[in-house]
Amino acid sequence: MALLQFSNKNKHGIKRTRIIHNDTTSLGINPSGFGSYIQVNVFKYEYEHPILAPSLFVDLKGNKYIVPTWQKVHPKTELNDIIWKKTKIKKEKSKQKTWTFKSSSSDAVYTVRQVDSSSLKCNCPGAWRSRGNCKHIKEVRASLTK
């Protein structure tokens, strides 16, 4: 039915917490021997992964795990006892390298930037005329191969 987190203080005043499984809708507790503090909460395991949904795996010894994280869980855990927190995939932003060139015929400044590991883009008029192979890009490629 549900997993419960049961906490109590023992006779020495030390708080103990354990996960129990309850098949019924009610829970009866005999308070004698449990100390001065008793707390019962519904318990859910938390699973974090951006893409893969959690699933359960039972090994040959009867141990149950949430996979792919291999988190050991209570033997009577079901999928509805797991909260799936979808984390966002972090895209790593690489610093783009840029090179600037002064125009030989005007006061304009053209910039060549590295888009990824193999492509370069230039904002000069010759770049679109030469289909991305202007003299600025050629000069940068030559300096990178040295």
Side-chain angles (χ1 to χ4, degrees):
M1 188 79 185
L3 291 178
L4 301 174
Q5 183 176 20
F6 180 83
S7 302
N8 72 307
K9 286 188 179 177
N10 64 11
K11 64 182 179 181
H12 304 289
I14 298 171
K15 184 178 174 184
R16 297 177 359 156
T17 301
R18 62 194 137 200
I19 307 299
I20 60 173
H21 183 265
N22 187 23
D23 287 330
T24 63
T25 57
S26 63
L27 180 66
I29 299 173
N30 182 1
S32 63
F34 281 112
S36 62
Y37 169 80
I38 298 173
Q39 180 180 5
V40 178
N41 295 322
V42 175
F43 181 77
K44 301 275 186 182
Y45 289 99
E46 291 185 358
Y47 167 79
E48 291 185 26
H49 199 279
I51 301 169
L52 297 174
S55 60
L56 294 170
F57 175 79
V58 181
D59 67 6
L60 295 174
K61 295 179 182 178
N63 298 320
K64 195 175 262 193
Y65 300 90
I66 299 174
V67 288
T69 59
W70 293 96
Q71 179 182 358
K72 191 172 181 179
V73 295
H74 190 277
K76 294 193 177 183
T77 301
E78 298 174 0
L79 283 176
N80 60 359
D81 295 325
I82 302 170
I83 297 173
W84 180 16
K85 292 186 173 182
K86 292 184 181 181
T87 54
K88 292 184 178 180
I89 298 174
K90 295 178 182 176
K91 293 182 181 177
E92 189 174 311
K93 292 184 178 179
S94 61
K95 290 187 175 183
Q96 292 182 346
K97 291 184 180 179
T98 58
W99 296 265
T100 56
F101 295 91
K102 173 85 174 78
S103 172
S104 57
S105 60
S106 68
D107 292 335
V109 177
Y110 301 117
T111 304
V112 175
R113 61 182 174 88
Q114 187 173 12
V115 178
D116 55 35
S117 62
S118 62
S119 62
L120 299 168
K121 298 277 183 183
C122 183
N123 63 350
C124 75
W128 60 267
R129 284 191 206 122
S130 64
R131 296 183 184 170
N133 201 18
C134 67
K135 65 181 183 179
H136 308 113
I137 290 176
K138 287 178 184 176
E139 187 176 331
V140 170
R141 280 199 185 117
S143 70
L144 290 175
T145 57
K146 288 182 183 178

